Amino acid sequence: MRVLFVTTEMDDFVRVGGLGAVSAALPRALRPFADIRVMLPGYRDIIEQLTHIQIVGRCPAFAEMPACSLGRAATKDGLPVYVLLCSQLYDRPGNPYGDESGHDWPDNDIRFARFASAAAELAMGKLDKNWAADLIHANDWQASLVPAYLAWRGAKLPSILTIHNLAYQGLFPKDSLRRIGAPESSFHIDGVEFYDQLSFLKAGLVYASHLTTVSGTYAREITTEEFGCGLEGLLRVRSDASELTGILNGIDESWDPRYCAQLAQQFGAGDWVGKRANADYVRKQFGLAVSRGPMFAIVARLVHQKGIDLVLSAADEIVDAGGQIVVTGSGEPALEQALINAHRRRPDAIGVTIGFNDAQARRIFAGSDFTLMPSRFEPCGLSQMYAQRFGSLPIGHQTGGLAETITDGETGFLFSRPSHESFLGGVRRAFEAFMAHDQLDTMRRSAMGRSFSWSISAGSYSALYRKLASV
């Protein structure tokens, strides 16, 4: 089966959040099942890293979207990658979605509609004369117009849209409809209209053959008013028709502390001296005091969703009880500044690095005793899986993928509400476990023994692909 996997991030080249990790790992896990090819926008970082790009097709200008070319290349391990080449849209500083100061590009409607339109053309066999898709798998709002363009062009190709985070919907003024060549007739409550705006994500929810999201719990949560972001009615209809499936993400095999080359010292379950060597390294890197108390890690996007404010409200109690906090990530400027201020108040006990570095993140997981994940909602989450594999017990809100991947009291700690008191209850339980050495040893061993292999997820996606292709 020929599958086109359409995404705007891939860890091989560019990463903003968890989508990049999924887009690097899932297509590779699916290669035994399908001729799967990834399509990406031609960002500067991607073009610079691909050694040979062969032009296979050209897209003429359409509506207010410029002409562009389609290139084909491959990753170092041979995974085919298509890149949409249009320097005026994608050759920019900053990240894939915004400028260096964190503001969204004002023409993101054009940028991602051009991308989705070209993906539909490629899937239909109109760009690469040697390849067409049997099924198209689009990811998040930036690729959500792919099923819509297929429908508007009368193509009968089956499509899947995976919702990685429903809170990001790609909302634009109604005038965008004309700019991206969408039919005026699609702008209504059962189409792409969302409170008098054009919603890219809603277009995918309406037109895709099937919807998936990244955990079974989140698939249920998004059909409720609390988590549905105003789209719960539509999602309930799709769910009731058995057209919404939750498939839990995995993590790749490099997350094994016995073999991870980036660690200060490799270690396995039971080798707590090796784990302590990583803790000592992290303390030194962050300028923290020598300590035998627990180290709490945050490796996350620093945004309201992740409950960073709850960590800030609990920081003094954690430190006063003998704990230390190490943070790495980037996000909302106000939260970044609040964490920097917390570090300045307690530089011996709170370490903060704004930005993300994979090797540093791995050492933090390896050195920390607990990973803080008080997310208000969490579609899947990857940090709690990384943490468990590296013997850092996650403390997470009982929601989404956290509820499915943390076994309370065995591989981590779950708390019931995203509130200060509920979160502190989880932290206090962690302190108690830290003091009870036998319990800590048992929990660490259980956590490090967990498997979050992508092969399980790939099998579920493969079965879904075959089912949709046979309809």
Side-chain angles (χ1 to χ4, degrees), residues 143-435:
S144 289
L145 283 182
V146 177
Y149 280 118
L150 289 172
W152 297 334
R153 290 165 185 169
K156 301 299 183 186
L157 205 60
S159 59
I160 291 173
L161 172 66
T162 295
I163 306 159
H164 295 266
N165 191 332
L166 191 68
Y168 298 94
Q169 298 184 16
L171 298 174
F172 299 96
K174 181 184 178 182
D175 186 54
S176 287
L177 211 65
R178 172 183 53 78
R179 286 157 51 85
I180 66 171
E184 188 79 25
S185 59
S186 67
F187 195 79
H188 56 83
I189 193 168
D190 295 319
V192 302
E193 184 267 338
F194 185 75
Y195 293 96
D196 206 38
Q197 290 183 292
L198 164 61
S199 168
F200 277 37
L201 183 65
K202 189 181 177 193
L205 302 184
V206 168
Y207 290 107
S209 311
H210 197 93
L211 308 176
T212 69
T213 190
V214 289
S215 70
T217 304
Y218 192 60
R220 293 188 294 274
E221 288 176 341
I222 59 177
T223 64
T224 69
E225 189 174 342
E226 182 180 2
F227 295 100
C229 302
L231 294 165
E232 60 273 7
L234 171 56
L235 289 162
R236 271 198 301 273
V237 169
R238 303 277 337 232
S239 179
D240 290 346
S242 300
E243 294 169 350
L244 170 60
T245 305
I247 300 176
L248 190 69
N249 285 338
I251 59 176
D252 68 57
E253 300 303 322
S254 71
W255 289 92
D256 188 329
R258 296 172 298 174
Y259 310 113
C260 183
Q262 290 99 324
L263 301 189
Q265 185 172 317
Q266 294 165 343
F267 67 100
D271 177 11
W272 309 136
V273 173
K275 184 166 175 63
R276 204 153 44 238
N278 286 280
D280 293 341
Y281 182 91
V282 170
R283 285 189 174 98
K284 188 173 181 181
Q285 289 293 107
F286 280 83
L288 303 183
V290 174
S291 172
R292 287 290 175 178
M295 184 190 297
F296 295 80
I298 302 173
V299 181
R301 286 183 299 113
L302 306 178
V303 296
H304 180 72
Q305 174 208 332
K306 299 293 185 179
I308 305 300
D309 56 311
L310 297 177
V311 176
L312 287 162
S313 72
D316 284 340
E317 177 161 335
I318 290 172
V319 172
D320 291 343
Q324 295 177 323
I325 303 171
V326 174
V327 182
T328 187
S330 61
E332 296 166 12
L335 289 174
E336 291 180 355
Q337 190 58 53
L339 287 163
I340 291 168
N341 293 342
H343 158 70
R344 287 172 177 162
R345 283 198 314 273
R346 307 295 294 266
D348 60 325
I350 299 176
V352 177
T353 296
I354 301 301
F356 182 82
N357 175 281
D358 181 68
Q360 184 185 60
R362 287 169 183 263
R363 289 190 286 267
I364 290 172
F365 285 126
S368 60
D369 300 290
F370 304 102
T371 293
L372 301 173
M373 297 195 68
S375 304
R376 288 179 163 79
F377 63 94
E378 193 61 73
C380 177
L382 298 176
S383 286
Q384 79 278 10
M385 301 188 216
Y386 300 149
Q388 287 173 79
R389 294 288 293 139
F390 279 35
S392 181
L393 305 177
I395 303 168
H397 174 212
Q398 191 165 358
T399 186
L402 300 179
E404 287 184 34
T405 54
I406 301 169
T407 305
D408 186 45
E410 291 183 23
T411 67
F413 304 94
L414 292 169
F415 56 94
S416 58
R417 295 182 308 282
S419 68
H420 174 76
E421 276 307 313
S422 188
F423 172 51
L424 269 180
V427 169
R428 289 167 185 153
R429 289 175 65 202
F431 269 105
E432 291 168 5
F434 186 81
M435 300 305 293

